Amino acid sequence: MSGGWAGSDRVRRLPPGWKKIRARVLERDPICVLCGVRPSTHCDHIKAKTDDHRETALQGVCAECHGRKSSAEGNAAPRTKPGRRRPPEQHPGLL
């Protein structure tokens, strides 16, 4: 699958010039802006689930902080599709 990320239910396309934008953000933020300790390896959106790919909306983060932040955002997101639930079974004595 070219131009997208695998492993997601939806395919997200990389914006034009993404490699250059990513390189500039990682150059601007060589150390993770979240922990301030490890080198930045990921270009992360400051606000979750946004299509704003301007450098001001992105930050350099390390892999560990990126995973932690993404997990927290996923857990906090409202569920848009309720899970399919089986209707309750009728008790044989009530039929």
Side-chain angles (χ1 to χ4, degrees):
M1 219 183 266
S2 79
W5 290 293
S8 175
D9 352 12
R10 61 182 193 176
V11 176
R12 297 187 300 186
R13 302 274 174 219
L14 293 172
W18 174 251
K19 287 183 180 182
K20 288 181 181 179
I21 295 168
R22 180 183 184 276
R24 285 193 303 263
V25 170
L26 294 180
E27 185 178 330
R28 180 193 70 201
D29 302 332
I31 302 298
C32 176
V33 299
L34 298 178
C35 70
V37 177
R38 292 178 289 276
S40 294
T41 55
H42 289 68
C43 187
D44 178 61
H45 286 91
I46 296 170
K47 277 183 97 171
K49 306 279 185 190
T50 182
D51 289 330
D52 186 357
H53 302 298
R54 292 174 296 161
E55 288 180 46
T56 56
L58 301 168
Q59 60 188 354
V61 297
C62 67
E64 187 175 329
C65 288
H66 184 261
R68 194 176 309 120
K69 180 178 180 274
S70 296
S71 179
E73 290 166 349
N75 290 335
R79 303 289 179 231
T80 55
K81 294 181 184 176
R84 290 184 115 186
R85 301 183 82 188
R86 287 176 41 184
E89 292 183 26
Q90 293 291 324
H91 187 278
L94 298 175
L95 295 176

